[in-house]
Amino acid sequence: MIKERIHTIKPEIMEIFEHLHQHPEVSWKEFQTSDYLTQFLQKNGGRVRTLNHTGIVAEMGEGSPVVAVRADMDALWQEVNGQFQANHSCGHDAHMAMVCGVLLILQKFSSLPPGTVRFLFQPAEEKGTGALKMVEDGVVDDVDYLYGVHLRPELELGDGFAAPAILHGAACFVKGRIRSDDAHGARPHLGANAIEVGATFVSLLNNIHLNPMLPYSVKMTSFHAGGESANIIPGSATFSIDMRSQSNEGMEKLVSKVFEIASSLEKLFGVDIEMETGANVAAAEVHPEAQAFMEKGILNVLGIDALQPPLVSTGGDDFHFYTIKRPHLKATMLGLGCGLAPGLHHPNMTFNKDALLNGVHILSETVLETLKEGKGKRGRQHVD
């Protein structure tokens, strides 16, 4: 039944995608995107609740269980054909179009199984801060099941295939500054050389060892010190550090070791090292029950030959902050093969637009399966 309905709404799904693709907006500035989606949701029977930012919540149905579907809204700021601009090279335009498609499909049912379907349109995924703000707003406090979706590159998942979970890794980015006084090149004993501090920092980062069975990495990705004068020993420098781990526990250990190294270098060289954590993305926490419902959705739409195992990705997504902050949530993210090339975040990324229909169909089937078989639970304990 859904298959026939998918084809009737295909023109509208494609229209939504093209509009969003042609009007990209960067993190926390998704104003036109928010207005467009709000009008669409209200027009199609969604009970819309706007927030004190660009995020949107819409609902249909009532009672338990509460099943939520999340789409990210923001675009990247990057150089495209020689010009810097907002650009949907991560597929968020596709994610929004698919979630809108789910609402269109469910809205066509004369009656749905008991329960509430909630549609979450979340800003600022690329900043790693949007999900945390939505959690703070309480939009998932009473949610039982949470589903997301992300297009996957062709090299990771072929067109026409799908995975019931994406096992993203954790990522943490630190910016720092080394502070000391400059010294004359002829008198190195009168100051600390920030370049030497940085070189020692890099060496010690390379000596961090965690469990080798756990994928992880830590590296300095930028370092700036000194000026045009070759006879001045720079006392100050700025730097950035990129950390990755496939588990949240591993990330905690990495961060702790990096800050311990900085503290030791302060004492060794007699300098001040200031460090500030920027974007911080959690590793995936997938619930087996949610994954099982997503598997059913994929099987119902694409069949057993197209069902792939959960994807392990070193990339990150702030979707997983929902489950970190609200452990009661049963969540997973659909990995959708769509012929995406050359890759995510490439300024000229393209994919097979017909795969949007597969995504709408799978998510709709998953939501219906969850409403029919899922159980809601009340009186949860929240962890901040």
Short mmCIF file of all heavy atoms in Angstrom, two decimals, residues 309-366:
data_model
loop_
_atom_site.label_atom_id
_atom_site.label_comp_id
_atom_site.label_asym_id
_atom_site.label_seq_id
_atom_site.Cartn_x
_atom_site.Cartn_y
_atom_site.Cartn_z
N PRO A 309 24.84 -5.16 6.87
CA PRO A 309 25.07 -5.05 8.32
C PRO A 309 25.30 -3.60 8.72
O PRO A 309 25.53 -2.74 7.87
CB PRO A 309 26.33 -5.89 8.54
CG PRO A 309 27.02 -5.90 7.22
CD PRO A 309 25.93 -5.87 6.18
N PRO A 310 25.21 -3.30 10.01
CA PRO A 310 25.49 -1.93 10.47
C PRO A 310 26.83 -1.42 9.96
O PRO A 310 27.82 -2.17 9.93
CB PRO A 310 25.48 -2.06 11.99
CG PRO A 310 24.56 -3.21 12.25
CD PRO A 310 24.80 -4.17 11.13
N LEU A 311 26.85 -0.17 9.54
CA LEU A 311 28.05 0.42 8.96
C LEU A 311 28.93 1.04 10.05
O LEU A 311 28.45 1.81 10.88
CB LEU A 311 27.67 1.51 7.97
CG LEU A 311 26.92 1.07 6.71
CD1 LEU A 311 26.40 2.30 5.98
CD2 LEU A 311 27.83 0.25 5.81
N VAL A 312 30.20 0.71 10.04
CA VAL A 312 31.15 1.35 10.94
C VAL A 312 31.78 2.52 10.19
O VAL A 312 32.34 2.36 9.11
CB VAL A 312 32.25 0.37 11.40
CG1 VAL A 312 33.27 1.08 12.28
CG2 VAL A 312 31.63 -0.81 12.14
N SER A 313 31.66 3.72 10.75
CA SER A 313 32.15 4.92 10.10
C SER A 313 32.99 5.73 11.08
O SER A 313 32.62 5.91 12.24
CB SER A 313 30.98 5.78 9.61
OG SER A 313 31.43 7.03 9.13
N THR A 314 34.13 6.22 10.60
CA THR A 314 34.96 7.10 11.43
C THR A 314 34.40 8.51 11.47
O THR A 314 34.86 9.34 12.25
CB THR A 314 36.40 7.15 10.91
OG1 THR A 314 36.40 7.54 9.53
CG2 THR A 314 37.07 5.78 11.03
N GLY A 315 33.43 8.81 10.62
CA GLY A 315 32.77 10.10 10.67
C GLY A 315 31.89 10.21 11.90
O GLY A 315 31.69 9.23 12.63
N GLY A 316 31.35 11.39 12.13
CA GLY A 316 30.52 11.62 13.32
C GLY A 316 29.21 12.29 12.98
O GLY A 316 29.02 12.84 11.89
N ASP A 317 28.27 12.23 13.92
CA ASP A 317 26.98 12.89 13.76
C ASP A 317 26.43 13.18 15.14
O ASP A 317 26.44 12.31 16.01
CB ASP A 317 26.01 11.98 13.00
CG ASP A 317 24.79 12.72 12.49
OD1 ASP A 317 24.02 13.25 13.33
OD2 ASP A 317 24.59 12.78 11.26
N ASP A 318 25.93 14.40 15.36
CA ASP A 318 25.47 14.74 16.70
C ASP A 318 24.14 14.08 17.04
O ASP A 318 23.62 14.24 18.16
CB ASP A 318 25.42 16.26 16.91
CG ASP A 318 24.23 16.95 16.24
OD1 ASP A 318 23.54 16.31 15.43
OD2 ASP A 318 24.01 18.14 16.53
N PHE A 319 23.56 13.31 16.12
CA PHE A 319 22.36 12.51 16.40
C PHE A 319 22.53 11.68 17.67
O PHE A 319 21.58 11.48 18.43
CB PHE A 319 22.11 11.57 15.20
CG PHE A 319 20.97 10.61 15.38
CD1 PHE A 319 19.66 11.00 15.12
CD2 PHE A 319 21.19 9.30 15.78
CE1 PHE A 319 18.61 10.11 15.27
CE2 PHE A 319 20.15 8.41 15.93
CZ PHE A 319 18.85 8.81 15.67
N HIS A 320 23.73 11.21 17.92
CA HIS A 320 23.95 10.28 19.02
C HIS A 320 23.97 10.97 20.39
O HIS A 320 23.96 10.30 21.42
CB HIS A 320 25.24 9.50 18.78
CG HIS A 320 25.26 8.85 17.43
ND1 HIS A 320 24.36 7.87 17.07
CD2 HIS A 320 26.02 9.08 16.33
CE1 HIS A 320 24.58 7.51 15.81
NE2 HIS A 320 25.57 8.24 15.34
N PHE A 321 23.96 12.30 20.40
CA PHE A 321 23.81 13.01 21.68
C PHE A 321 22.42 12.79 22.28
O PHE A 321 22.24 12.88 23.50
CB PHE A 321 24.06 14.51 21.51
CG PHE A 321 25.51 14.89 21.58
CD1 PHE A 321 26.09 15.68 20.60
CD2 PHE A 321 26.30 14.47 22.64
CE1 PHE A 321 27.42 16.04 20.67
CE2 PHE A 321 27.65 14.82 22.71
CZ PHE A 321 28.20 15.60 21.72
N TYR A 322 21.44 12.51 21.43
CA TYR A 322 20.10 12.26 21.96
C TYR A 322 20.12 11.08 22.92
O TYR A 322 19.53 11.13 24.01
CB TYR A 322 19.12 12.00 20.82
CG TYR A 322 18.80 13.21 19.98
CD1 TYR A 322 19.31 13.34 18.69
CD2 TYR A 322 17.97 14.22 20.46
CE1 TYR A 322 19.00 14.45 17.91
CE2 TYR A 322 17.66 15.33 19.69
CZ TYR A 322 18.19 15.44 18.40
OH TYR A 322 17.90 16.54 17.64
N THR A 323 20.77 9.99 22.52
CA THR A 323 20.79 8.79 23.36
C THR A 323 21.77 8.93 24.51
O THR A 323 21.57 8.33 25.57
CB THR A 323 21.15 7.55 22.53
OG1 THR A 323 22.31 7.81 21.74
CG2 THR A 323 20.01 7.18 21.60
N ILE A 324 22.83 9.71 24.32
CA ILE A 324 23.78 9.93 25.42
C ILE A 324 23.10 10.71 26.55
O ILE A 324 23.23 10.39 27.74
CB ILE A 324 25.02 10.68 24.93
CG1 ILE A 324 25.79 9.86 23.89
CG2 ILE A 324 25.93 11.05 26.11
CD1 ILE A 324 26.35 8.56 24.40
N LYS A 325 22.35 11.74 26.17
CA LYS A 325 21.72 12.61 27.15
C LYS A 325 20.40 12.03 27.68
O LYS A 325 19.99 12.36 28.79
CB LYS A 325 21.47 13.99 26.55
CG LYS A 325 22.76 14.76 26.23
CD LYS A 325 23.55 15.05 27.49
CE LYS A 325 24.78 15.88 27.20
NZ LYS A 325 25.55 16.17 28.44
N ARG A 326 19.74 11.23 26.88
CA ARG A 326 18.47 10.61 27.29
C ARG A 326 18.57 9.10 27.05
O ARG A 326 18.11 8.57 26.04
CB ARG A 326 17.29 11.21 26.50
CG ARG A 326 17.09 12.71 26.75
CD ARG A 326 16.60 12.96 28.18
NE ARG A 326 16.36 14.38 28.43
CZ ARG A 326 17.24 15.18 29.02
NH1 ARG A 326 18.43 14.73 29.40
NH2 ARG A 326 16.93 16.45 29.24
N PRO A 327 19.20 8.37 27.99
CA PRO A 327 19.49 6.95 27.80
C PRO A 327 18.26 6.07 27.59
O PRO A 327 18.39 4.92 27.14
CB PRO A 327 20.23 6.56 29.09
CG PRO A 327 20.78 7.84 29.62
CD PRO A 327 19.78 8.89 29.25
N HIS A 328 17.06 6.56 27.93
CA HIS A 328 15.87 5.75 27.72
C HIS A 328 15.54 5.58 26.24
O HIS A 328 14.77 4.68 25.87
CB HIS A 328 14.67 6.39 28.43
CG HIS A 328 14.15 7.62 27.74
ND1 HIS A 328 14.65 8.88 27.99
CD2 HIS A 328 13.19 7.76 26.79
CE1 HIS A 328 14.00 9.76 27.22
NE2 HIS A 328 13.11 9.11 26.49
N LEU A 329 16.07 6.44 25.38
CA LEU A 329 15.73 6.41 23.96
C LEU A 329 16.23 5.14 23.29
O LEU A 329 17.36 4.70 23.49
CB LEU A 329 16.35 7.61 23.24
CG LEU A 329 15.66 8.96 23.39
CD1 LEU A 329 16.52 10.06 22.79
CD2 LEU A 329 14.29 8.94 22.74
N LYS A 330 15.38 4.56 22.46
CA LYS A 330 15.76 3.44 21.62
C LYS A 330 15.95 4.01 20.21
O LYS A 330 14.99 4.38 19.55
CB LYS A 330 14.68 2.37 21.63
CG LYS A 330 14.41 1.81 23.03
CD LYS A 330 13.23 0.86 23.02
CE LYS A 330 12.93 0.35 24.43
NZ LYS A 330 11.74 -0.55 24.46
N ALA A 331 17.18 4.09 19.77
CA ALA A 331 17.47 4.86 18.57
C ALA A 331 18.39 4.11 17.61
O ALA A 331 19.20 3.28 18.02
CB ALA A 331 18.10 6.20 18.94
N THR A 332 18.26 4.45 16.35
CA THR A 332 19.20 4.02 15.32
C THR A 332 19.07 4.96 14.13
O THR A 332 18.10 5.72 14.02
CB THR A 332 18.95 2.57 14.89
OG1 THR A 332 20.06 2.12 14.09
CG2 THR A 332 17.68 2.44 14.06
N MET A 333 20.05 4.89 13.23
CA MET A 333 20.08 5.75 12.05
C MET A 333 20.20 4.88 10.80
O MET A 333 21.08 4.03 10.71
CB MET A 333 21.25 6.73 12.12
CG MET A 333 21.41 7.61 10.88
SD MET A 333 22.74 8.81 11.03
CE MET A 333 21.94 10.09 12.00
N LEU A 334 19.31 5.10 9.84
CA LEU A 334 19.32 4.39 8.57
C LEU A 334 20.49 4.87 7.72
O LEU A 334 20.67 6.06 7.51
CB LEU A 334 18.00 4.65 7.83
CG LEU A 334 17.91 4.20 6.37
CD1 LEU A 334 17.99 2.69 6.26
CD2 LEU A 334 16.64 4.75 5.73
N GLY A 335 21.29 3.93 7.22
CA GLY A 335 22.32 4.23 6.24
C GLY A 335 21.77 3.91 4.86
O GLY A 335 21.45 2.75 4.57
N LEU A 336 21.64 4.92 3.99
CA LEU A 336 20.96 4.75 2.70
C LEU A 336 21.96 4.83 1.56
O LEU A 336 22.59 5.86 1.33
CB LEU A 336 19.89 5.82 2.54
CG LEU A 336 18.99 5.70 1.30
CD1 LEU A 336 18.13 4.44 1.38
CD2 LEU A 336 18.12 6.94 1.15
N GLY A 337 22.10 3.72 0.81
CA GLY A 337 22.92 3.73 -0.40
C GLY A 337 22.18 4.45 -1.51
O GLY A 337 20.99 4.23 -1.73
N CYS A 338 22.91 5.33 -2.24
CA CYS A 338 22.23 6.16 -3.24
C CYS A 338 23.16 6.57 -4.38
O CYS A 338 22.89 7.54 -5.08
CB CYS A 338 21.67 7.42 -2.56
SG CYS A 338 22.92 8.35 -1.65
N GLY A 339 24.28 5.86 -4.54
CA GLY A 339 25.21 6.21 -5.60
C GLY A 339 25.91 7.53 -5.37
O GLY A 339 26.31 8.22 -6.31
N LEU A 340 26.10 7.90 -4.11
CA LEU A 340 26.69 9.20 -3.77
C LEU A 340 28.16 9.26 -4.14
O LEU A 340 28.95 8.40 -3.75
CB LEU A 340 26.49 9.47 -2.28
CG LEU A 340 26.84 10.86 -1.76
CD1 LEU A 340 25.99 11.18 -0.52
CD2 LEU A 340 28.31 11.00 -1.41
N ALA A 341 28.55 10.29 -4.90
CA ALA A 341 29.94 10.48 -5.33
C ALA A 341 30.20 11.97 -5.58
O ALA A 341 29.26 12.73 -5.81
CB ALA A 341 30.19 9.68 -6.62
N PRO A 342 31.45 12.45 -5.52
CA PRO A 342 32.66 11.71 -5.15
C PRO A 342 32.70 11.33 -3.66
O PRO A 342 33.40 10.42 -3.28
CB PRO A 342 33.80 12.68 -5.48
CG PRO A 342 33.22 13.71 -6.37
CD PRO A 342 31.78 13.82 -5.97
N GLY A 343 31.97 12.06 -2.83
CA GLY A 343 31.97 11.75 -1.40
C GLY A 343 31.25 12.83 -0.62
O GLY A 343 30.98 13.94 -1.13
N LEU A 344 30.90 12.53 0.63
CA LEU A 344 30.28 13.52 1.50
C LEU A 344 31.22 14.70 1.71
O LEU A 344 32.43 14.53 1.86
CB LEU A 344 29.93 12.88 2.85
CG LEU A 344 28.82 11.83 2.81
CD1 LEU A 344 28.75 11.09 4.14
CD2 LEU A 344 27.47 12.48 2.50
N HIS A 345 30.67 15.88 1.73
CA HIS A 345 31.37 17.15 1.91
C HIS A 345 32.17 17.57 0.68
O HIS A 345 32.82 18.62 0.71
CB HIS A 345 32.29 17.13 3.15
CG HIS A 345 31.54 17.13 4.44
ND1 HIS A 345 32.08 17.60 5.62
CD2 HIS A 345 30.28 16.72 4.76
CE1 HIS A 345 31.19 17.46 6.60
NE2 HIS A 345 30.10 16.92 6.09
N HIS A 346 32.14 16.79 -0.40
CA HIS A 346 32.74 17.26 -1.64
C HIS A 346 31.83 18.35 -2.21
O HIS A 346 30.61 18.18 -2.24
CB HIS A 346 32.89 16.12 -2.64
CG HIS A 346 33.69 16.49 -3.85
ND1 HIS A 346 33.19 17.27 -4.88
CD2 HIS A 346 34.98 16.20 -4.19
CE1 HIS A 346 34.12 17.44 -5.80
NE2 HIS A 346 35.22 16.80 -5.40
N PRO A 347 32.39 19.48 -2.64
CA PRO A 347 31.53 20.59 -3.07
C PRO A 347 30.60 20.25 -4.23
O PRO A 347 29.55 20.89 -4.39
CB PRO A 347 32.53 21.69 -3.47
CG PRO A 347 33.83 20.97 -3.67
CD PRO A 347 33.83 19.82 -2.72
N ASN A 348 30.96 19.25 -5.02
CA ASN A 348 30.13 18.87 -6.16
C ASN A 348 29.50 17.49 -5.96
O ASN A 348 29.27 16.76 -6.93
CB ASN A 348 30.94 18.91 -7.45
CG ASN A 348 31.54 20.28 -7.72
OD1 ASN A 348 32.75 20.43 -7.81
ND2 ASN A 348 30.68 21.29 -7.82
N MET A 349 29.20 17.16 -4.72
CA MET A 349 28.58 15.87 -4.41
C MET A 349 27.24 15.71 -5.14
O MET A 349 26.44 16.63 -5.19
CB MET A 349 28.38 15.75 -2.90
CG MET A 349 27.76 14.41 -2.46
SD MET A 349 25.94 14.39 -2.48
CE MET A 349 25.57 15.20 -0.93
N THR A 350 27.03 14.51 -5.70
CA THR A 350 25.76 14.19 -6.33
C THR A 350 25.34 12.78 -5.90
O THR A 350 26.17 11.99 -5.42
CB THR A 350 25.84 14.23 -7.86
OG1 THR A 350 26.82 13.29 -8.31
CG2 THR A 350 26.23 15.63 -8.35
N PHE A 351 24.06 12.47 -6.10
CA PHE A 351 23.57 11.12 -5.80
C PHE A 351 22.31 10.86 -6.62
O PHE A 351 21.75 11.77 -7.24
CB PHE A 351 23.28 10.97 -4.30
CG PHE A 351 22.15 11.82 -3.79
CD1 PHE A 351 20.86 11.30 -3.67
CD2 PHE A 351 22.35 13.15 -3.43
CE1 PHE A 351 19.81 12.09 -3.22
CE2 PHE A 351 21.31 13.94 -2.98
CZ PHE A 351 20.03 13.41 -2.87
N ASN A 352 21.86 9.62 -6.62
CA ASN A 352 20.66 9.23 -7.34
C ASN A 352 19.43 9.71 -6.59
O ASN A 352 19.11 9.19 -5.52
CB ASN A 352 20.63 7.70 -7.51
CG ASN A 352 19.34 7.22 -8.15
OD1 ASN A 352 18.60 7.99 -8.75
ND2 ASN A 352 19.09 5.92 -8.03
N LYS A 353 18.74 10.69 -7.13
CA LYS A 353 17.60 11.30 -6.42
C LYS A 353 16.45 10.30 -6.21
O LYS A 353 15.66 10.44 -5.27
CB LYS A 353 17.09 12.52 -7.18
CG LYS A 353 18.14 13.57 -7.50
CD LYS A 353 18.85 14.08 -6.26
CE LYS A 353 19.83 15.20 -6.58
NZ LYS A 353 20.93 14.81 -7.48
N ASP A 354 16.35 9.29 -7.07
CA ASP A 354 15.28 8.30 -6.89
C ASP A 354 15.44 7.52 -5.59
O ASP A 354 14.47 6.94 -5.08
CB ASP A 354 15.26 7.33 -8.07
CG ASP A 354 14.67 7.96 -9.32
OD1 ASP A 354 13.93 8.96 -9.19
OD2 ASP A 354 14.95 7.45 -10.42
N ALA A 355 16.68 7.52 -5.04
CA ALA A 355 16.89 6.84 -3.75
C ALA A 355 16.11 7.51 -2.62
O ALA A 355 15.87 6.88 -1.58
CB ALA A 355 18.38 6.81 -3.41
N LEU A 356 15.71 8.76 -2.81
CA LEU A 356 14.88 9.42 -1.80
C LEU A 356 13.60 8.64 -1.55
O LEU A 356 13.11 8.57 -0.42
CB LEU A 356 14.53 10.84 -2.25
CG LEU A 356 15.67 11.85 -2.36
CD1 LEU A 356 15.15 13.16 -2.96
CD2 LEU A 356 16.29 12.11 -1.01
N LEU A 357 13.06 8.03 -2.61
CA LEU A 357 11.82 7.25 -2.46
C LEU A 357 12.06 6.02 -1.59
O LEU A 357 11.20 5.65 -0.78
CB LEU A 357 11.29 6.85 -3.83
CG LEU A 357 11.04 7.99 -4.82
CD1 LEU A 357 10.48 7.45 -6.13
CD2 LEU A 357 10.11 9.03 -4.22
N ASN A 358 13.24 5.38 -1.77
CA ASN A 358 13.58 4.25 -0.90
C ASN A 358 13.65 4.69 0.56
O ASN A 358 13.17 4.00 1.46
CB ASN A 358 14.92 3.64 -1.31
CG ASN A 358 14.84 2.85 -2.60
OD1 ASN A 358 13.76 2.43 -3.01
ND2 ASN A 358 15.98 2.63 -3.23
N GLY A 359 14.27 5.85 0.78
CA GLY A 359 14.39 6.35 2.15
C GLY A 359 13.05 6.64 2.78
O GLY A 359 12.79 6.28 3.94
N VAL A 360 12.16 7.31 2.03
CA VAL A 360 10.81 7.60 2.54
C VAL A 360 10.08 6.30 2.85
O VAL A 360 9.45 6.16 3.91
CB VAL A 360 10.01 8.43 1.51
CG1 VAL A 360 8.56 8.57 1.96
CG2 VAL A 360 10.64 9.80 1.32
N HIS A 361 10.19 5.35 1.94
CA HIS A 361 9.48 4.07 2.10
C HIS A 361 9.99 3.31 3.33
O HIS A 361 9.20 2.84 4.15
CB HIS A 361 9.66 3.24 0.83
CG HIS A 361 8.66 2.13 0.69
ND1 HIS A 361 8.51 1.39 -0.46
CD2 HIS A 361 7.76 1.61 1.57
CE1 HIS A 361 7.56 0.49 -0.28
NE2 HIS A 361 7.10 0.60 0.95
N ILE A 362 11.31 3.21 3.47
CA ILE A 362 11.89 2.47 4.60
C ILE A 362 11.53 3.12 5.93
O ILE A 362 11.11 2.45 6.88
CB ILE A 362 13.43 2.38 4.45
CG1 ILE A 362 13.80 1.50 3.26
CG2 ILE A 362 14.07 1.82 5.74
CD1 ILE A 362 15.26 1.58 2.87
N LEU A 363 11.68 4.44 6.01
CA LEU A 363 11.35 5.13 7.25
C LEU A 363 9.87 5.01 7.59
O LEU A 363 9.50 4.83 8.75
CB LEU A 363 11.76 6.60 7.16
CG LEU A 363 13.26 6.90 7.16
CD1 LEU A 363 13.52 8.37 6.84
CD2 LEU A 363 13.90 6.53 8.49
N SER A 364 9.01 5.10 6.59
CA SER A 364 7.57 4.97 6.83
C SER A 364 7.23 3.58 7.34
O SER A 364 6.46 3.42 8.30
CB SER A 364 6.80 5.26 5.54
OG SER A 364 7.02 6.58 5.09
N GLU A 365 7.80 2.55 6.71
CA GLU A 365 7.57 1.17 7.15
C GLU A 365 8.09 0.98 8.58
O GLU A 365 7.44 0.31 9.40
CB GLU A 365 8.26 0.19 6.21
CG GLU A 365 7.67 0.09 4.83
CD GLU A 365 6.45 -0.82 4.78
OE1 GLU A 365 6.06 -1.37 5.83
OE2 GLU A 365 5.88 -0.99 3.67
N THR A 366 9.24 1.55 8.87
CA THR A 366 9.83 1.42 10.20
C THR A 366 8.96 2.06 11.27
O THR A 366 8.73 1.50 12.35
CB THR A 366 11.25 2.04 10.23
OG1 THR A 366 12.07 1.39 9.25
CG2 THR A 366 11.88 1.91 11.60
#
